[in-house]
Amino acid sequence: MTALEPRDAEVSARTEDTDDLHETVVAAAPEGVLGRTYRALSIGIVSVVFLIAFEATAVGTAMPVAARELHGIPLYAFAFSAYFTTSLFAMVLSGQWADRRGPLGPLAAGISAFGVGLLLSGTAGTMWMFIAGRAVQGLGGGLVIVALYVVVSRAYPEQLRPAIMAGFAASWVIPSVVGPLASGSVTEHLGWRWVFVGIPVLVVFPLALALPAIRRMASGPADPAAPVEPFDRRRIALALGISLGAGLLQYAGQERNWFSLLPAAAGIALLVPAVRGLLPPGTGRAARGLPSVVLLRGVAAGSFIAAESFVPLMLVTQRGLSPTMAGLSLAAGGGTWALGSYLQSRPRLEPHRERLMVGGMVLVAAAIAAAPAVLIDGVPVWTVAAAWAVGCLGMGTVIASTSVLLLKLSAPQEAGANSAALQISDGLSNALLLAAGGAAFGALGGGAVGAVHDAVDAGASGSHPGAFAVVFLPMAGVAMVGAWVATRVRERTDAPPGSRA
């Protein structure tokens, strides 16, 4: 790939162009994210998020069938956590790449890797090959998501950022409704592989629309006149350590024997210094301000995604739903997620953002705790749909708010690194909580739910409600911890300058 940094003779011209662009952006701010200045960029980057959303909803619906046909039900959680594990490394790389040379390169590379990973999973002959494809998808997703945050930081003034974050959330609405239905229908009539190999065609539209707009409005270094710093090899090494550490802990949780203590110890030894080096100081103790924003993102995303990943499998194997109906049980969540994100973007609610986030986490905890009620035969299956709609409303307020607060607390030249820290917290929590949930699921006999060939089509081969309950209930407790962390996202106004809470 050709380097994006300008030649020395172009530096002064690029600086003048950047100044002119900044004046244009400031003058055009009142027109909104769909005004003439921002329209192409907004539609383009929201389309990228749409692609990621469609993949997540469609793949989640097809996953139970894919795992069964590849004889990989015991590795079910790995199919999700592999994505998040590799994305951890890609997030740090993307943050440095975008800060030094602009977000265009990592965004283009990430979308390409995302499509390649889908093709690998769709053509896999074994569960481990399928997981490898998911890992490649994670590399692409990690590059893309951090680059998008840098685009928002550079191209949009502060007053428009809540609106574009709400647009990101809104882009999940259609995939949440159409994705499960389309994926379920394709899975039942054509086969699960077409769900994966068909999605890459969606790459063309975001590339054609987003990349030219990003090149005009957010390409190149943040300060074209400053010398481009080399990549921070220490941070990249720490990123590799965090990915390897998370992978080793997942492997140890999957094996669950005395020999697995060795990879578990090695994973912890890699993770601890990597987390301390890549996340803001004070994140582990929920220090006020940026550290708590980063921590909350991980707690919210990890608890919710770890629980949600098991919802389709629970409905298919324990209540006998088809893959289509199991996926549609989560469809309403896309609309309520967008509603929550829209609410947080209202200017009149800005003074109450902390309370909104606390309330959002309470809703998330309640939804996760209510979902396993369907393990009782007398409870209607629509209970999950109702609970998940409530949980997604809470997630919409919390996730968008953490993004807004992060950019507000970040200098322009730090947007990439801080965005990477936010996404690392998100991805690491997803990987570790999925690994913990998967280990608990397997320990209580969860792997046996797919033992019979027709388990997914005709219901469970046997009842294993405890295997699912041990996933959901601890995650509800983690979400309640997030409600406390949300009380600390704002810095103390009475603290002396330079002090830390």
Side-chain angles (χ1 to χ4, degrees):
M1 182 175 293
T2 304
L4 298 178
E5 55 189 302
R7 292 170 296 182
D8 292 341
E10 298 172 339
V11 169
S12 60
R14 289 288 300 275
T15 303
E16 293 174 1
D17 291 342
T18 301
D19 293 339
D20 293 340
L21 177 60
H22 177 71
E23 293 174 3
T24 301
V25 168
V26 173
E31 65 182 300
V33 295
L34 290 179
R36 185 171 60 182
T37 302
Y38 302 102
R39 186 179 300 127
L41 178 63
S42 297
I43 294 175
I45 61 177
V46 168
S47 297
V48 173
V49 178
F50 179 92
L51 167 65
I52 296 174
F54 196 88
E55 181 272 343
T57 55
V59 168
T61 302
M63 197 73 78
V65 180
R68 184 205 67 188
E69 291 192 4
L70 294 173
H71 308 289
I73 289 289
L75 300 174
Y76 185 80
F78 259 135
F80 291 96
S81 60
Y83 179 101
F84 299 112
T85 301
T86 55
S87 69
L88 295 171
F89 172 75
M91 288 168 187
V92 176
L93 178 62
S94 182
Q96 294 203 31
W97 191 349
D99 279 343
R100 286 159 175 76
R101 301 181 180 180
L104 185 63
L107 187 60
I111 293 176
S112 300
F114 195 78
V116 170
L118 283 167
L119 293 175
L120 287 175
S121 291
T123 57
T126 66
M127 189 62 178
W128 282 113
M129 183 58 69
F130 180 89
I131 291 171
R134 293 286 292 165
V136 175
Q137 283 180 250
L139 288 172
L143 289 170
V144 168
I145 193 64
V146 173
L148 286 178
Y149 274 72
V150 177
V151 170
V152 172
S153 174
R154 292 193 185 183
Y156 295 88
E158 184 175 331
Q159 62 267 32
L160 290 185
R161 292 172 189 166
I164 194 63
M165 291 300 175
F168 285 173
S171 67
W172 281 78
V173 176
I174 294 177
S176 296
V177 177
V178 177
L181 179 61
S183 175
S185 298
V186 170
T187 298
E188 292 175 23
H189 296 97
L190 298 177
W192 63 268
R193 295 182 185 277
W194 285 100
V195 174
F196 290 85
V197 300
I199 291 178
V201 299
L202 298 175
V203 170
V204 176
F205 178 72
L207 281 176
L209 190 59
L211 297 186
I214 293 171
R215 183 179 293 109
R216 291 193 305 270
M217 302 185 68
S219 63
D223 182 2
V228 177
E229 297 182 4
F231 283 83
D232 187 338
R233 295 183 180 181
R234 176 180 174 275
R235 288 185 65 83
I236 293 178
L238 290 174
L240 184 60
I242 207 172
S243 291
L244 290 175
L248 288 170
L249 283 177
Q250 291 171 61
Y251 174 79
Q254 186 69 38
E255 293 299 312
R256 301 187 308 276
N257 55 44
W258 288 107
F259 293 104
S260 66
L261 292 176
L262 290 177
I268 293 173
L270 287 170
L271 269 180
V272 172
V275 169
R276 290 174 62 88
L278 292 173
L279 300 186
T283 299
R285 57 184 175 85
R288 288 190 176 274
L290 183 63
S292 284
V293 171
V294 171
L295 178 61
L296 177 60
R297 180 57 165 262
V299 171
S303 59
F304 191 79
I305 297 300
E308 185 179 60
S309 299
F310 283 86
V311 169
L313 186 66
M314 178 175 66
L315 294 177
V316 167
T317 61
Q318 302 300 294
R319 296 301 296 265
L321 268 65
S322 68
T324 303
M325 294 306 298
L328 282 175
S329 67
L330 306 178
T336 56
W337 190 306
L339 176 60
S341 185
Y342 170 80
L343 291 175
Q344 66 78 37
S345 71
R346 298 299 84 197
R348 68 179 62 182
L349 291 179
E350 177 60 33
H352 309 289
R353 187 176 294 279
E354 181 179 306
R355 295 180 186 177
L356 200 65
M357 297 170 77
V358 172
M361 288 308 304
V362 172
L363 293 180
V364 171
I368 297 173
V374 297
L375 294 169
I376 303 171
D377 290 336
V379 176
V381 293
W382 56 258
T383 302
V384 170
W388 230 246
V390 171
C392 286
L393 177 65
M395 286 293 287
T397 63
V398 173
I399 296 300
S401 290
T402 57
S403 301
V404 170
L405 288 175
L406 177 107
L407 294 178
K408 185 176 182 179
L409 296 170
S410 302
Q413 65 272 18
E414 298 174 346
N418 287 344
S419 297
L422 188 76
Q423 298 303 325
I424 287 169
S425 178
D426 187 317
L428 179 61
S429 181
N430 285 334
L432 294 183
L433 290 180
L434 273 167
F441 178 76
L444 281 140
V449 301
V452 175
H453 179 72
D454 62 352
V456 175
D457 297 321
S461 59
S463 180
H464 298 271
F468 289 97
V470 80
V471 174
F472 286 91
L473 297 182
M475 297 308 160
V478 174
M480 282 305 300
V481 173
W484 170 76
V485 177
T487 66
R488 302 178 59 80
V489 295
R490 288 195 183 275
E491 296 176 331
R492 288 178 53 183
T493 56
D494 59 341
S499 67
R500 297 193 177 201

